[in-house]
Amino acid sequence: MSIDSASDTSAVAATASRPAQRVDSVPLRHPLLAVVGLVLVALNLRPALSSLAPVMGDVVRDTGMSSGQAGLLTTSPVLCLGLFGVIAPRLAQRFGAERVILIVLLMLGAGVALRGIGTFPALFAGATLAGAGIGIIGVLLPPLVKRDFPKKVSLMMGVYTMALCAGAAAAAGLTAPLERALGGQWTGALAFWSLPALLAALAWLIQLRGRHSGVGQAHAPVRGLWTNPLAWQITLFMGLQSALAYIVLGWMAPMLRDRGLDPVMAGAVVSASVMTQVLAALVSPMLATRTPSQSLAGAATLGCSLVGMIGCLYAPVGTIWLWAVILGIGQGGAFAVALTLIVLRSSDSRVAAQLSGMTQSVGYTLASAGPFAVGILHGWSGDWHASAALFAVVAVAAGVFGILAGRPRQIHG
């Protein structure tokens, strides 16, 4: 394996879009249908994670679970993202990426629906099943983008990340109103988010019919990937910025409720922050790829995340919307840049698939410690000051690895 430095923007763009091997040249019969399928799948990769926090207080009250169990519900799906993401490339090689995504979408929908039972064991099982599904699909989609849209990588990664953030925002903002509309039944509000997963599975099935999956062909492993410094820099950037994202998804609403906001307003603020990520996620990859280096983009997005989070926790409540928007710009941009780096730093879809598996499996396993640590710190201190300090430390570390990963180099198999 070698790491080559790029000298200008065109070199980066060319290597990012070059169909280097036969496996990258699978023709799309219906490109628009492929885009629709990608968007619908991406919309379902965060509602299972962001829908719980707005009704967490009611869930704890009705189930009688402890704060440790509540922390486990926010941590287990993120941990499963990492643990199950590592097997995604092997599943794709054996069965084909598209077929695996279809089956796992159904599994994801079943996990979300399971939460409607309303007991802690069902909530935990549903969170685990959903997290496993999200982890597998999340690893498989970036290589498909590189294979199917080699000349529009930055645009399509932006569209993918935008849809992912939109799904998170919708679930964060609509779950509490759904609960009220259902007469206070949080079980139905949580189970509702299985319906979009079934719709996405139907759309993906239509796309899958008659399609040959080149990603499903056998590939030799990328030698030296797990000892490559650049691969680890991308992995740590992905993992640390994801830890911040899951802290916000899992705990921001309870933090704001402790600041005096009612449940619906707290959910609305989180939803507004996540909705801001939609625009940031679309724009960031295109801005970041205008130059050979993405280091500035990595550092700037983490800086916005830190400033926005501190503002949400400590600035006057009347300014909460401003800080929520800044937080959303930072987090949406950071996640989009992290995913784009996987594609930009890979010489072909084979490298992209295995780098995606490494960065997301290890990264999300690391990220799962974030919401769990916040739950422990809050239970220990009774306030959110220690959690704010943890957020700051993780944000600075993520910024450092973003600068390193953003340097114009590439990984070759």
Side-chain angles (χ1 to χ4, degrees), residues 361-376:
S361 60
V362 176
Y364 285 137
T365 302
L366 174 64
S368 67
F372 182 73
V374 169
I376 295 297

Side-chain angles (χ1 to χ4, degrees), residues 2-313:
S2 61
I3 304 177
D4 300 327
S5 297
S7 57
D8 54 29
T9 307
S10 61
V12 173
T15 53
S17 62
R18 182 177 62 244
Q21 296 185 7
R22 179 175 56 88
V23 71
D24 287 345
S25 58
V26 180
L28 283 175
R29 294 183 180 179
H30 305 289
L32 181 59
L33 185 60
V35 174
V36 172
L38 175 71
V39 169
L40 288 176
V41 173
L43 284 169
N44 285 277
L45 298 186
R46 288 300 178 270
L49 306 176
S50 62
S51 58
L52 180 61
V55 296
M56 178 66 85
D58 298 332
V59 173
V60 171
R61 180 198 64 209
D62 293 346
T63 61
M65 72 177 67
S66 65
S67 59
Q69 289 175 315
L72 190 61
L73 283 183
T74 62
T75 301
S76 61
V78 184
L79 181 60
C80 287
L81 260 64
L83 296 179
F84 285 86
V86 73
I87 69 173
R90 291 187 178 182
L91 291 175
Q93 289 170 14
R94 182 168 183 178
F95 302 107
E98 289 91 346
R99 294 184 183 89
V100 173
I101 290 173
L102 175 62
I103 294 171
V104 173
L105 268 174
L106 297 175
M107 182 178 76
L108 169 60
V112 174
L114 192 59
R115 304 188 301 176
I117 296 176
T119 63
F120 175 75
L123 288 166
F124 180 74
T128 301
L129 197 60
I134 295 168
I136 293 171
I137 295 174
V139 167
L140 296 181
L141 285 180
L144 288 182
V145 170
K146 185 171 183 68
R147 186 197 70 186
D148 293 341
F149 305 97
K151 296 181 179 180
K152 299 180 179 179
V153 167
S154 61
L155 173 62
M156 293 310 303
M157 288 305 297
V159 169
Y160 163 56
T161 316
M162 177 188 70
L164 193 149
C165 294
L174 296 178
T175 301
L178 275 172
E179 180 189 23
R180 288 189 176 182
L182 295 172
Q185 295 296 317
W186 55 264
T187 52
L190 291 178
F192 167 83
W193 298 104
S194 64
L195 299 180
L198 297 179
L199 176 63
L202 177 60
W204 197 259
L205 176 62
I206 296 173
Q207 174 184 308
L208 181 61
R209 295 181 62 183
R211 175 89 181 271
H212 171 66
S213 177
V215 175
Q217 298 172 2
H219 295 304
V222 178
R223 292 178 295 176
L225 181 66
W226 287 81
T227 58
N228 187 284
L230 178 57
W232 277 105
Q233 290 157 10
I234 299 171
T235 297
L236 291 172
F237 178 54
M238 169 65 80
L240 292 172
Q241 67 82 27
S242 294
L244 302 179
Y246 294 122
I247 288 173
V248 171
L249 287 179
W251 292 104
M252 177 59 78
M255 290 175 180
L256 295 179
R257 291 178 69 168
D258 283 354
R259 294 206 68 190
L261 277 66
D262 65 67
V264 173
M265 181 61 70
V269 172
V270 175
S271 180
S273 181
V274 180
M275 188 59 72
T276 305
Q277 295 182 27
V278 174
L279 180 60
L282 178 62
V283 174
S284 294
M286 291 183 284
L287 293 179
T289 53
R290 287 179 177 270
T291 61
S293 172
Q294 288 74 49
S295 296
L296 178 60
T301 54
L302 266 299
C304 287
S305 298
L306 178 56
V307 170
M309 184 65 166
I310 297 303
C312 286
L313 289 179

